[in-house]
Amino acid sequence: MKQVKINRGAHLTQATIGVLTISSVTHNPIGDETIHQVDYAPIYTLENPLRATDKDNRIPAGEYKCVPYSGAKYKNVYHVQNVPNRSAILIHWGNTEKDTEGCILLGNRVGEINGAPAVLDSRKCFERFRELIGQNEFILIIED
């Protein structure tokens, strides 16, 4: 199973910016695990900033199972499961905090749009992410 890790680095008032890595985890017969990074090109993430209410807050650091998901608005994305006090948290494309609604956005670059922190080339980045993950479940680890 693939493992996706987000290391949050920039805790801004308008957004949280992180770096995402994808690894493949294999286990040998004696139970040891080996982790191999899958893609070396950077993937940046944008989430809501740290806020006082669960509804508008970024999701807590921790480990989550993610599964493929297609809904009315977002097709062929990933659903982050079992987020405390939250539902419908997705990993998808978008640029600024206005696009998140609590979800995790992916981009090839970090920049600004109209003065707001943003991830850029998001659709292209998300397509690359989807090619690497496929229609598979994965483990998401978020670290502050």
Side-chain angles (χ1 to χ4, degrees):
M1 179 178 287
K2 290 206 171 49
Q3 181 181 77
V4 173
K5 184 182 278 188
I6 296 173
N7 286 305
R8 293 172 170 157
H11 304 273
L12 310 172
T13 57
Q14 293 177 296
T16 300
I17 305 292
V19 177
L20 179 147
T21 55
I22 302 169
S23 302
S24 178
V25 180
T26 56
H27 297 275
N28 67 25
I30 59 170
D32 293 334
E33 67 179 23
T34 304
I35 300 174
H36 303 280
Q37 191 166 341
V38 172
D39 185 32
Y40 293 94
I43 294 176
Y44 297 97
T45 62
L46 186 138
E47 302 174 74
N48 281 346
L50 184 60
R51 294 186 173 136
T53 64
D54 285 338
K55 180 181 177 189
D56 291 334
N57 200 4
R58 64 185 184 213
I59 65 176
E63 187 170 310
Y64 303 93
K65 181 179 178 182
C66 296
V67 298
Y69 173 82
S70 278
K73 185 174 181 180
Y74 293 104
K75 306 254 186 248
N76 299 313
V77 297
Y78 300 92
H79 177 232
V80 183
Q81 299 190 319
N82 301 319
V83 177
N85 303 314
R86 303 286 295 284
S87 63
I89 303 298
L90 303 176
I91 298 174
H92 62 84
W93 57 90
N95 299 110
T96 67
E97 185 267 338
K98 291 181 180 180
D99 300 323
T100 66
E101 297 182 29
C103 297
I104 301 169
L105 308 179
L106 305 182
N108 285 328
R109 299 180 294 127
V110 175
E112 288 186 359
I113 296 177
N114 297 324
V119 288
L120 307 172
D121 300 327
S122 186
R123 284 190 188 265
K124 186 185 292 185
C125 182
F126 186 81
E127 291 302 320
R128 177 168 55 107
F129 181 77
R130 194 166 58 199
E131 287 173 11
L132 293 166
I133 297 293
Q135 289 296 311
N136 301 304
E137 297 179 356
F138 60 92
I139 299 299
L140 173 65
I141 299 169
I142 300 176
E143 296 179 344
D144 284 327

